Amino acid sequence: MNTSIKTLLATSAACFSLSVLAADPTTTLPSDPGGALTSQEARDLKTQNKADYKAHKKVAEANKDLEIADCKTAGLGAKDERDCKYDAKQSAKAVKKDAKEVFKDNKAGIKDRTQ
């Protein structure tokens, strides 16, 4: 593959990766009315919370794949490439763990406020 094409792909992947990393797994539920919740409001918030959690997991997987691709195209030595891939996997694992904690916290908060 042409060197300029590799550079372009790596640059675009890095830019995409940075924009996806901006998605914060610690977001609160935007349509949360505050106070006591009716059963319909609680159901809606639970659904939204679950969707947010799944979205953050998919973003973490996409970032991991992009970082691994960057590792492969960076022209690193074998050990450095393995270390780079390992770091990408560990980073994705940490983001998923954070997203799960936020999901659990939001779920508990919704349950506490349900009438």
Side-chain angles (χ1 to χ4, degrees):
M1 186 183 282
N2 191 338
T3 313
S4 61
I5 293 174
K6 284 184 181 179
T7 306
L8 178 64
L9 289 174
T11 305
S12 64
C15 290
F16 178 73
S17 178
L18 291 176
S19 67
V20 174
L21 281 174
D24 183 19
T26 61
T27 58
T28 57
L29 300 173
S31 64
D32 190 357
L37 299 171
T38 65
S39 100
Q40 182 60 43
E41 289 172 335
R43 190 175 314 124
D44 292 343
L45 288 175
K46 286 179 186 178
T47 302
Q48 183 178 356
N49 187 32
K50 189 172 184 178
D52 287 345
Y53 170 60
K54 287 182 178 183
H56 286 296
K57 280 179 42 177
K58 288 183 181 184
V59 166
E61 279 297 315
N63 277 336
K64 179 185 84 169
D65 292 343
L66 288 172
E67 289 176 21
I68 288 175
D70 287 343
C71 295
K72 290 179 180 178
T73 61
L76 303 172
K79 178 160 178 15
D80 291 334
E81 186 175 331
R82 281 193 307 272
D83 291 342
C84 182
K85 289 178 183 179
Y86 178 79
D87 291 341
K89 289 176 184 177
Q90 292 304 312
S91 174
K93 189 182 273 190
V95 170
K96 286 180 183 180
K97 183 178 179 185
D98 291 342
K100 188 169 191 170
E101 290 299 318
V102 170
F103 170 72
K104 286 181 179 181
D105 291 343
N106 286 342
K107 187 176 177 181
I110 293 167
K111 184 176 181 179
D112 291 341
R113 292 180 31 220
T114 304
Q115 296 177 345

